[in-house]
């Protein structure tokens, strides 16, 4: 296996060993290879060091047979804090029950004593790479989830605003429908819709006028058609006064404001709406 020395220099280890001579000898080599080494002499101390430095530790090397807390018990507690941190055991014996227990705890590897630094280094590098890939994936997923959460929050806020605006528009539409007289025309001056207030003033039913030309209620439809062309040229509302005829043949003078309607994507007017205010 190719060993990337530069990558080894980015790795921080927690090394737990109760044999002082073994620990001194191993650490003297580790310090030349790895970025940083935290050392402990028993399982309890190893657990506390991991809790204190868990954000910087990339892998744990521990003896199976530790005082105060065994290596297995320490690994079990550490995995409750970080399930994916690599743990490699060093052991002077190969007790099958202990090794099976280590496997059940998802221990990454074990190295028999006396330790061969090359074998141990290869194992550390292998499992740290896997651990970092998992962490990168986790961090990326977490960031995306956070971004999605933020986006969702922004979306919900925008939706609330939109709902409010839609309610506001519905309210204004209700007001205009109930209290403002208007006529909606198509491009040819055919009546498409009329408001409730229009009906109150003109005394027509909607069915009497929808689908009929504007000339049905005006003796000067040519002037209205001229206003339709004029509003298209200016692309803005135009005000004008004109006489209109009610169902009872009464002629009333209205101040009118005509708007072009753009209800499609081709930028062509799809019709017109005329708002009317009765001149007293």
């Amino acid at each position: 296996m190719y060993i990337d020395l530069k990558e080894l220099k980015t790795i921080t280890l927690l090394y737990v060993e109760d044999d002082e001579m073994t620990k001194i000898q191993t650490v003297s080599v580790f310090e030349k290879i790895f970025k940083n080494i935290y050392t402990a002499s028993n399982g309890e101390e190893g657990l506390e060091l991991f809790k204190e430095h868990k954000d910087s530790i990339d892998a744990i090397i521990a003896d199976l047979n530790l005082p105060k807390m065994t290596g297995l018990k320490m690994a079990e507690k550490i995995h409750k804090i970080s399930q994916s941190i690599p743990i490699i055991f060093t052991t002077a014996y190969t007790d099958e029950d202990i090794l099976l227990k280590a496997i059940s705890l998802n221990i990454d590897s074990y190295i028999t004593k006396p330790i061969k630094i090359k074998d141990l280094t290869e194992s550390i590098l292998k499992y740290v790479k896997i651990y970092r890939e998992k962490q990168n994936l986790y961090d990326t997923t977490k960031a995306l989830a956070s971004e999605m959460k933020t986006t969702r929050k922004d979306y919900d806020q925008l939706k609330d605003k939109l709902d409010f605006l839609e309610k506001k528009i519905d309210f204004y539409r209700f007001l205009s429908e109930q209290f403002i007289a208007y006529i909606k025309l198509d491009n040819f001056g055919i009546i498409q819709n009329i408001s409730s207030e229009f009906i109150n003033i003109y005394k027509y039913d909607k069915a009497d006028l929808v689908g009929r030309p504007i000339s049905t209620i005006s003796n000067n439809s040519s002037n209205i058609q001229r206003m339709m062309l004029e509003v298209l040229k200016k692309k803005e509302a135009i005000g004008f006064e004109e006489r209109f005829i009610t169902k009872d043949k009464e002629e009333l003078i209205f101040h009118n404001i005509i708007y072009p309607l753009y209800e499609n994507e081709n930028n062509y007017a799809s019709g017109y709406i005329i708002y009317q205010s009765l001149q007293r």
Side-chain angles (χ1 to χ4, degrees), residues 20 26-27 34 42 45 53 67 112 184 186 204 215 220 260 264:
E20 198 64 26
T26 305
V27 168
F34 298 102
N42 60 67
E45 189 179 341
H53 302 286
T112 55
K184 189 175 179 182
D186 69 5
Y204 278 104
S215 58
N220 197 8
N264 46 47

Side-chain angles (χ1 to χ4, degrees), residues 128-222:
V128 167
K129 281 183 177 180
I130 294 171
Y131 171 63
R132 285 179 172 176
E133 285 174 2
K134 287 181 181 177
Q135 282 298 110
N136 287 338
L137 180 61
Y138 171 77
D139 292 341
T140 302
T141 305
K142 187 177 178 182
L144 285 171
S146 178
E147 185 177 332
M148 288 174 68
K149 186 177 179 181
T150 302
T151 304
R152 179 68 191 182
K153 184 180 178 182
D154 292 341
Y155 168 80
D156 289 340
Q157 289 176 345
L158 287 172
K159 188 176 182 302
D160 288 342
K161 289 180 182 178
L162 180 60
D163 290 343
F164 172 75
L165 288 173
E166 284 179 347
K167 288 176 183 177
K168 195 173 180 181
I169 290 168
D170 287 341
F171 176 68
Y172 287 139
R173 189 179 291 120
F174 169 78
L175 289 179
S176 66
E177 176 71 24
Q178 298 298 319
F179 302 106
I180 301 173
Y182 70 75
I183 320 161
K184 189 175 179 182
L185 307 173
D186 69 5
N187 279 324
F188 303 100
I190 304 300
I191 299 171
Q192 300 295 300
N193 198 11
I194 55 178
S195 67
S196 298
E197 181 62 10
F198 181 98
I199 292 169
N200 289 336
I201 294 171
Y202 284 79
K203 310 303 180 186
Y204 278 104
D205 291 329
K206 185 176 286 190
D208 295 333
L209 292 180
V210 172
R212 303 289 299 278
I214 191 66
S215 58
T216 306
I217 54 173
S218 174
N219 289 329
N220 197 8
S221 58
S222 59

Side-chain angles (χ1 to χ4, degrees), residues 12-193:
T12 294
L13 297 179
L14 169 60
Y15 179 45
V16 190
E17 172 61 64
D18 63 314
D19 185 286
E20 198 64 26
M21 184 60 66
T22 301
K23 184 166 64 176
I24 291 171
Q25 289 175 348
T26 305
V27 168
S28 68
V29 178
F30 278 175
E31 285 176 339
K32 296 179 178 68
I33 300 173
F34 298 102
K35 178 183 178 180
N36 195 17
I37 314 294
Y38 295 108
T39 61
S41 300
N42 60 67
E44 287 182 357
E45 189 179 341
L47 177 61
E48 291 307 312
L49 272 174
F50 177 76
K51 288 179 180 177
E52 186 178 349
H53 302 286
K54 62 180 183 296
D55 293 334
S56 61
I57 293 171
D58 298 299
I60 299 166
I61 316 301
D63 194 321
L64 268 171
N65 190 27
L66 292 170
K68 295 190 178 180
M69 181 186 293
T70 67
L72 285 175
K73 190 66 178 175
M74 182 190 73
E76 190 175 357
K77 289 181 177 293
I78 285 173
H79 272 166
K80 288 180 180 179
I81 301 168
S82 173
Q83 291 183 350
S84 56
I85 185 78
I87 300 177
I88 299 170
F89 279 137
T90 60
T91 177
Y93 52 89
T94 55
D95 186 303
E96 288 186 3
D97 289 338
I98 293 177
L99 295 179
L100 286 172
K101 176 65 173 174
I103 292 170
S104 72
L105 289 173
N106 200 25
I107 301 307
D108 294 279
S109 184
Y110 71 90
I111 303 290
T112 55
K113 293 181 178 180
I115 295 172
K116 293 179 181 178
I117 294 297
K118 182 177 181 295
D119 293 343
L120 182 55
T121 302
E122 285 181 350
S123 289
I124 292 169
L125 189 58
K126 174 184 174 181
Y127 292 108
V128 167
K129 281 183 177 180
I130 294 171
Y131 171 63
R132 285 179 172 176
E133 285 174 2
K134 287 181 181 177
Q135 282 298 110
N136 287 338
L137 180 61
Y138 171 77
D139 292 341
T140 302
T141 305
K142 187 177 178 182
L144 285 171
S146 178
E147 185 177 332
M148 288 174 68
K149 186 177 179 181
T150 302
T151 304
R152 179 68 191 182
K153 184 180 178 182
D154 292 341
Y155 168 80
D156 289 340
Q157 289 176 345
L158 287 172
K159 188 176 182 302
D160 288 342
K161 289 180 182 178
L162 180 60
D163 290 343
F164 172 75
L165 288 173
E166 284 179 347
K167 288 176 183 177
K168 195 173 180 181
I169 290 168
D170 287 341
F171 176 68
Y172 287 139
R173 189 179 291 120
F174 169 78
L175 289 179
S176 66
E177 176 71 24
Q178 298 298 319
F179 302 106
I180 301 173
Y182 70 75
I183 320 161
K184 189 175 179 182
L185 307 173
D186 69 5
N187 279 324
F188 303 100
I190 304 300
I191 299 171
Q192 300 295 300
N193 198 11

Side-chain angles (χ1 to χ4, degrees), residues 233-246:
K233 282 183 187 178
K234 294 187 176 181
K235 294 185 178 179
E236 61 182 29
I238 293 177
F240 65 99
E241 289 192 0
E242 187 56 72
R243 295 174 182 271
F244 286 84
I245 304 166
T246 69

